[in-house]
Amino acid sequence: MDQGNRSKNELLTPASSGRRACLTRLVGSLGALVALDSVASTKTPDRGLAYTPDIRGPFPIPQNERGLHTITATPYFKVSDKGLQLEGASFDRKGNLLFVDVFGGTIFRLTPDKVLSTVLPPNSLGSAGIAIHKDGRIFVSGLGNFVDTGSIFWLNPDGSGLTTIVPASAGYLPDDLVFDKNGGFYFTDFRGSSDNPVGGVHYVSPDFKTITPILSHMAIANGVCLSPDGSVLWATELSAGRLHKVELSGATTIAPFGTAVPYYFSGFAPDSMRSDSDGNIYVAMYSQGRVLVFNPNGIAIGQILLPKRETGHNMRSTSIGFVPGTNDMLILTNDGKGGEGSWIFHAKGFAKGTTLYSHQ
């Protein structure tokens, strides 16, 4: 019995020794490779981070938005050689584009054949947003001195009859506004900051006598628009970088579980907005030279880039207006002190723009 066991051990020992020897050689070889790699690494210069074309410029497209369907707008009209803060793109029934210069207070009119004129000369009202009544009156939200003189007023198409609706004493900084189908309107309150969210969205009744809060505690509420059927209110929050979706069961009533923030923006900052007849939402991105597009659920589905944005020009994109009855869009921007002045660019959306109260 012992002799048999010894025979088996004698037969097994050479194979075991061979395996151990093979493993020893393999470990030794790996060690040598690691050592060589270590030596090679020490000889390779450390080049550090390197810029690539897709991350250059002041506001490169965020990683999660680079795969979006993307088009580039084309020049339409140069408003000024100066960097005027253009805002409030709206169309009247004659096809004229109305818009403002925020810091100067001027209200401009651009005809379909591109003749520019002034509706309201420079003033201290700080005009920021425009909505046109179906009777032709121009309603304007004004930031005033950006501190305590904000107001909402209307004037006739020829600039006469200026009448205040929401006075400075009400304590708001109205920035943008949109009519509902009944002739009341929602406006954004531009007050607050990222650490002091005191702005919001409010509704002014059709008789212009009652103001009802809809959204509160917002860090500089900015853009506002309605879905094509008026059942969904959308708003952007400048300092918090958020897109708000509010389902309504009435002009001043939020449907149960009807509020959501479906999107958080990267970088500064979501500005004014418009909707199209498919329910998509178009948001101008201030300081980014582009417009982001969202489907009715707040999912990003496309973007429109402005020319020269990759070199840091035309970045102050603020506002969008749809030519009534078409998917043609005009986008307002300015170049600040960059030398390109103030421009209106053209692009086409996914669908025709929502029919606004002015054209109902």
Side-chain angles (χ1 to χ4, degrees):
M1 195 71 178
D2 292 340
Q3 186 177 358
N5 287 336
R6 282 196 301 273
S7 298
K8 290 178 182 179
N9 290 336
E10 289 171 358
L11 290 172
L12 291 171
T13 298
S16 299
S17 298
R19 286 194 292 272
R20 285 195 296 271
C22 182
L23 288 171
T24 300
R25 287 194 298 271
L26 178 60
V27 171
S29 297
L30 290 173
L33 289 172
V34 170
L36 287 171
D37 183 64
S38 177
V39 172
S41 297
T42 59
K43 292 181 179 180
T44 302
D46 182 6
R47 299 184 184 279
L49 295 174
Y51 289 109
T52 56
D54 58 345
I55 63 172
R56 285 189 179 277
F59 271 103
I61 304 299
Q63 183 70 41
N64 65 308
E65 293 167 358
R66 291 177 192 170
L68 294 175
H69 177 53
T70 302
I71 62 174
T72 300
T74 57
Y76 180 80
F77 184 79
K78 188 172 186 178
V79 177
S80 174
D81 290 330
K82 298 178 181 179
L84 304 180
Q85 186 78 353
L86 306 183
E87 257 279 19
S90 298
F91 285 89
D92 64 17
R93 284 182 174 269
K94 295 181 180 180
N96 299 311
L97 173 67
L98 294 164
F99 59 99
V100 305
D101 166 26
V102 178
F103 298 127
T106 305
I107 299 178
F108 295 102
R109 178 186 288 115
L110 183 68
T111 64
D113 56 354
K114 300 183 181 178
V115 175
L116 184 68
S117 61
T118 298
V119 177
L120 187 68
N123 58 80
S124 61
L125 294 171
S127 302
I130 288 179
I132 300 175
H133 197 280
K134 65 193 312 182
D135 64 14
R137 285 180 294 168
I138 304 167
F139 283 64
V140 184
S141 53
L143 292 166
N145 62 4
F146 286 78
V147 179
D148 56 10
T149 63
S151 65
I152 297 176
F153 58 93
W154 64 262
L155 65 163
N156 294 315
D158 63 1
S160 65
L162 194 152
T163 302
T164 299
I165 301 169
V166 178
S169 59
Y172 303 108
L173 289 180
D175 181 73
D176 204 356
L177 68 167
V178 61
F179 278 107
D180 70 358
K181 62 183 179 181
N182 299 314
F185 61 85
Y186 298 91
F187 75 90
T188 52
D189 182 6
F190 201 70
R191 293 181 302 149
S193 63
S194 58
D195 65 341
N196 184 32
V198 296
V201 180
H202 304 268
Y203 180 76
V204 177
S205 60
D207 61 6
F208 311 138
K209 293 181 179 180
T210 305
I211 301 176
T212 304
I214 306 299
L215 290 176
S216 303
H217 309 297
M218 295 179 71
I220 307 185
N222 197 322
V224 64
C225 73
L226 289 166
S227 62
D229 64 0
S231 66
V232 178
L233 174 73
W234 294 88
T236 58
E237 195 173 1
L238 185 82
S239 284
R242 300 193 293 180
L243 175 66
H244 291 260
K245 179 183 180 181
V246 182
E247 297 178 12
L248 301 168
S249 59
T252 60
T253 305
I254 298 175
F257 312 106
T259 61
V261 177
Y263 201 81
Y264 288 82
F265 297 91
S266 297
F268 191 81
D271 207 313
S272 296
M273 59 201 308
R274 289 287 186 267
S275 63
D276 70 19
S277 57
D278 285 347
N280 301 312
I281 308 302
Y282 299 72
V283 179
M285 298 300 296
Y286 187 72
S287 290
Q288 295 199 26
R290 62 181 181 137
V291 174
L292 275 174
V293 190
F294 302 86
N295 76 2
N297 291 312
I299 305 300
I301 59 172
Q303 61 183 328
I304 303 166
L305 307 183
L306 299 188
K308 299 186 180 182
R309 72 171 305 279
E310 69 279 2
T311 55
H313 292 291
N314 300 319
M315 302 298 282
R316 297 182 177 183
S317 39
T318 59
S319 183
I320 312 113
F322 276 96
V323 177
T326 75
N327 69 335
D328 289 290
M329 302 167 52
L330 296 183
I331 305 167
L332 306 184
T333 192
N334 79 84
D335 197 38
K337 297 180 180 179
E340 293 292 324
S342 310
W343 276 91
I344 301 173
F345 289 98
H346 170 266
K348 288 183 176 290
F350 285 105
K352 295 179 181 179
T354 292
T355 300
L356 299 177
Y357 181 70
S358 56
H359 288 70
Q360 292 177 359

